Amino acid sequence: MTTQNPIESSSFKDDLLNIYPAKVARKRAKSVLENNPDVPEEIQANVRTVPGIITQRGCTYAGCKGVVLGPTRDIVNLVHGPIGCSFYAWLTRRNQTDAGTDGENFINYAFSTDLQDENIVFGGEKKLKEAIREINQLFHPKAIGIFSTCPVGLIGDDVHSVARDMEAELEDKVNIFGFSCEGYKGVSQSAGHHIANNGLFKHVIGLDDTDNGGKFKMNLLGEYNIGGDAFELERTFKDLGITLVSSFSGNSTYDKFANSHTADLNAVMCHRSINYVAEMMEKKYGIPWMKVNLIGAEASAKSFRKIAKYFDDAELTKLTEEIIERELAEVKKVRDEVLPRTKGKTAMLFVGGSRAHHYQELFKEMGMTIVAAGYEFAHRDDYEGRRVLPTIKVDADSRNIEELKVTKDDARFKPRKTEEFLHKLDESFKESGDELMSDYRGMMSEMQKGALVIDDLSHREMERLIEIYHPDVFCAGIKEKYAVQKMGIPLKQLHSYDYGGPYAGFRGAINFYRDIDRMVNSNVWHLIPAPWDKTAPTLTAGFVA
Ligand code: CFM
């Protein structure tokens, strides 16, 4: 089946891009295409946004401090920079956490050095040291991460040497590490993920060799407990008897990161933000990784089966099937109820670096069509699959980010499975149509032919898309939400879930079906014309302008 595009793709592109100057239009054209799942076409991604275009993207500091380190409750995240950088990162991402009983939950605090003009002129290192002393005195944390904002890079403060000096100075044993994650360091928050992964790998992962037991031990990577997603997934892992040694980084702690190399499998949810940790842990410690998708009931079932196949245990396999059957029965009840109302509706998803892909599963389960989708900051492999990795051009912006030289840790490297077993496992994944170990096929292979794929969608392009296609729901974030709703289209925030969720796993699917059903079938937004819109129908009685 192909999606019905009301206009030819070439003219669609023209229509979308004709407002730009010729040079800009030429550049944008490389990031806009009509999908062909059989031979995913090359898409331009992870390149600079043209100045002046309103982008959905965030900055490198956001990717490092907010995304990867943000959900860990017991590392103090100290922002070195002006207060605005903290204000806009203070509890704005809905990563939830189990507060624990040790009193070490710092998530609700905003730690900032509050740089002033004087510090910008004379340097901010002294103030940074003072802040670390104060934090240590007040909170006695195990670890402090220092996050560099744009001015820190511009004035040349060395957060890494401050971290070393302060570790030596403080009598308490505190692991202090800095991140050179200045907002401008990369073209988006994606660079911040890489910097965060490197920092965790260098300073935390592997510090604690204690074997805490468990028959099936794994890490869940790239799951951030937005709206309680991790809690729902933990429920099922617990039912399965699988031990989550750590999760990066939803509902996580410092100690779990330090111990994560004792796991036997890394399951990767968000490939974009955490693939670096998966690859480095495989090289250094011998932990194999697989891509999973725990968004969508069917996709979750498939992923739990993949995990069970890896652990290769008759009892676990049986239990997995029982749990899937039990959970899908509950899911089906709600799905059957909403399906007549949601079937045939259309959706667009423009989110981050993985959700625009994963959430398509949920819409498909509801019988909805994806007309267009794209990431804000993903790389070509997230669209076209990891097979294109060798052909991705390394430009100056990517070279800006350190590539750690990782080698085998002779003392702690332990092959988890034999080569022969892994080979057989891949054979069976191939048979069931699943991704092989260490692979990700990307978004495009799973999208319908003819659907539009657009990277780093601009605000103007978004408005044109809505005018042309009138989707029943548009999925994006808070920056887009009200602009889209003013156009009469409901917007589902797929970053924060609009105060809802969880949406992961089996119960998450049920929540999502209900929320989307409500949104696409009680669309109040098109009933409320904007007061300045002279072409809109007159207000019905009962509505107040
Ligand atoms: Fe990964 Fe994320 Fe995402 Fe992301 Fe994000 Fe997020 Fe996201 Mo917002 S880590 S790439 S940088 S799944 S914060 S939990 S929702 S843009 S699609």
Side-chain angles (χ1 to χ4, degrees):
M1 188 183 137
T2 54
T3 52
Q4 296 299 306
N5 282 338
I7 49 179
E8 288 294 314
S9 67
S10 52
S11 64
F12 161 76
K13 258 191 173 183
D14 288 347
D15 186 294
L16 204 63
L17 308 175
N18 66 12
I19 199 158
Y20 298 132
K23 201 174 151 196
V24 176
R26 270 202 304 280
K27 181 173 179 184
R28 285 298 300 145
K30 293 180 195 154
S31 294
V32 179
L33 54 84
E34 235 184 299
N35 192 45
N36 179 0
D38 307 324
V39 204
E41 224 178 285
E42 179 173 335
I43 188 163
Q44 173 181 262
N46 193 35
V47 294
R48 289 183 192 183
T49 303
V50 176
I53 280 184
I54 303 176
T55 170
Q56 294 183 297
R57 284 173 166 177
C59 69
T60 300
Y61 151 78
C64 183
K65 187 267 178 194
V67 173
V68 179
L69 271 296
T72 312
R73 68 173 165 87
D74 57 356
I75 299 177
V76 166
N77 286 346
L78 171 57
V79 177
H80 189 32
I83 196 64
C85 300
S86 281
F87 185 83
Y88 286 106
W90 187 21
L91 298 179
T92 44
R93 188 163 176 259
R94 282 188 71 228
N95 39 240
Q96 303 184 354
T97 192
D98 177 341
T101 50
D102 52 18
E104 293 180 83
N105 176 19
F106 308 123
I107 282 194
N108 41 351
Y109 294 94
F111 297 92
S112 167
T113 51
D114 183 23
L115 285 183
Q116 302 292 319
D117 297 359
E118 186 197 320
N119 312 117
I120 300 294
V121 176
F122 297 107
E125 291 185 8
K126 212 173 123 213
K127 204 167 185 194
L128 177 59
K129 287 185 176 175
E130 275 162 24
I132 293 171
R133 283 185 201 109
E134 197 181 334
I135 288 167
N136 183 52
Q137 200 185 9
L138 289 173
F139 297 97
H140 304 288
K142 298 181 182 95
I144 301 173
I146 307 164
F147 299 87
S148 307
T149 57
C150 294
V152 169
L154 298 174
I155 65 178
D157 277 2
D158 184 348
V159 298
H160 307 283
S161 78
V162 168
R164 281 192 298 273
D165 291 354
M166 291 311 294
E167 265 190 8
E169 182 194 301
L170 297 179
E171 278 176 25
D172 296 336
K173 195 174 168 293
V174 191
N175 187 352
I176 308 175
F177 37 87
F179 295 92
S180 292
C181 57
E182 291 87 350
Y184 60 77
K185 208 56 187 270
V187 301
S188 69
Q189 51 268 65
S190 167
H193 303 147
H194 197 167
I195 294 165
N197 283 212
N198 286 351
L200 285 174
F201 198 74
K202 273 202 282 198
H203 298 285
V204 187
I205 295 170
L207 290 181
D208 174 16
D209 288 330
T210 317
D211 182 349
N212 291 312
K215 195 168 175 195
F216 313 111
K217 294 185 295 182
M218 60 172 266
N219 301 316
L220 185 56
L221 306 188
E223 205 308 307
Y224 298 95
N225 204 15
I226 307 298
D229 276 354
F231 298 146
E232 163 59 9
L233 297 175
E234 285 165 9
R235 177 181 73 87
T236 307
F237 280 117
K238 193 162 169 242
D239 285 355
L240 288 164
I242 292 175
T243 307
L244 285 181
V245 179
S246 77
S247 114
F248 284 72
S249 52
N251 197 28
S252 63
T253 61
Y254 173 82
D255 288 341
K256 288 189 168 179
F257 288 160
N259 188 243
S260 58
H261 63 298
T262 63
D264 294 321
L265 170 70
N266 278 330
V268 174
M269 276 273 278
C270 168
H271 173 264
R272 183 63 270 134
S273 63
I274 208 88
N275 69 86
Y276 319 95
V277 162
E279 285 181 62
M280 292 189 285
M281 284 179 92
E282 183 164 32
K283 262 195 203 153
K284 188 167 177 183
Y285 305 109
I287 307 175
W289 71 267
M290 65 165 69
K291 177 74 179 64
V292 293
N293 177 16
L294 298 164
I295 303 291
E298 297 297 334
S300 298
K302 213 163 113 178
S303 294
F304 284 121
R305 282 193 183 107
K306 268 186 93 172
I307 293 168
K309 269 188 190 173
Y310 173 85
F311 285 116
D312 190 32
D313 177 275
E315 229 171 277
L316 177 63
T317 308
K318 192 167 154 263
L319 190 59
T320 304
E321 289 309 324
E322 283 167 14
I323 287 172
I324 289 174
E325 202 190 316
R326 179 192 81 196
E327 298 288 333
L328 286 185
E330 292 302 307
V331 169
K332 192 175 176 295
K333 282 185 214 158
V334 183
R335 193 179 156 188
D336 289 349
E337 183 199 321
V338 302
L339 202 62
R341 292 191 295 263
T342 53
K343 204 166 179 241
K345 303 267 185 196
T346 57
M348 291 185 176
L349 303 87
F350 289 94
V351 204
S354 84
R355 296 188 170 194
H357 176 195
H358 289 163
Y359 280 76
Q360 293 190 22
E361 297 283 343
L362 280 165
F363 284 115
K364 282 180 203 162
E365 288 174 3
M366 301 173 83
M368 292 176 63
T369 303
I370 311 300
V371 186
Y375 299 121
E376 291 170 38
F377 52 76
H379 301 196
R380 275 184 59 206
D381 40 325
D382 304 295
Y383 286 102
E384 301 169 59
R386 284 177 67 91
R387 63 186 175 82
V388 302
L389 278 175
T391 63
I392 293 182
K393 208 167 75 215
V394 185
D395 58 15
D397 290 307
S398 332
R399 247 191 291 273
N400 221 358
I401 313 303
E402 187 188 11
E403 273 300 334
L404 294 187
K405 293 263 170 295
V406 181
T407 52
K408 192 168 162 179
D409 178 335
D410 286 328
R412 285 178 294 176
F413 185 96
K414 181 179 81 183
R416 273 32 185 208
K417 298 279 179 186
T418 62
E419 283 296 321
E420 197 199 339
F421 176 86
L422 288 172
H423 180 73
K424 271 202 194 137
L425 188 65
D426 271 347
E427 287 295 311
S428 97
F429 285 159
K430 207 187 265 173
E431 237 168 70
S432 48
D434 291 325
E435 274 145 342
L436 308 189
M437 294 297 287
S438 321
D439 194 23
Y440 175 43
R441 287 197 295 247
M443 173 207 274
M444 279 150 72
S445 67
E446 289 186 355
M447 281 178 73
Q448 282 182 0
K449 199 174 169 64
L452 301 167
V453 183
I454 306 174
D455 182 64
D456 187 19
L457 183 81
S458 76
H459 189 92
R460 196 268 167 182
E461 291 158 12
M462 177 182 86
E463 287 184 343
R464 272 312 282 156
L465 274 185
I466 291 173
E467 283 163 7
I468 300 170
Y469 295 97
H470 304 286
D472 292 299
V473 63
F474 196 93
C475 301
I478 189 69
K479 297 196 291 291
E480 295 78 33
K481 186 172 177 80
Y482 300 101
V484 171
Q485 290 185 168
K486 280 177 188 165
M487 295 179 80
I489 305 289
L491 185 139
K492 182 68 202 165
Q493 290 189 64
L494 280 191
H495 303 257
S496 73
Y497 300 164
D498 289 310
Y499 336 107
Y503 291 146
F506 299 111
R507 290 188 187 162
I510 292 175
N511 292 338
F512 195 79
Y513 299 159
R514 291 208 186 283
D515 287 353
I516 295 297
D517 173 32
R518 259 197 301 271
M519 290 184 94
V520 299
N521 288 301
S522 55
N523 180 10
V524 296
W525 304 110
H526 73 283
L527 297 173
I528 308 170
W532 59 84
D533 188 353
K534 301 281 179 257
T535 61
T538 23
L539 293 173
T540 357
F543 284 100
V544 184

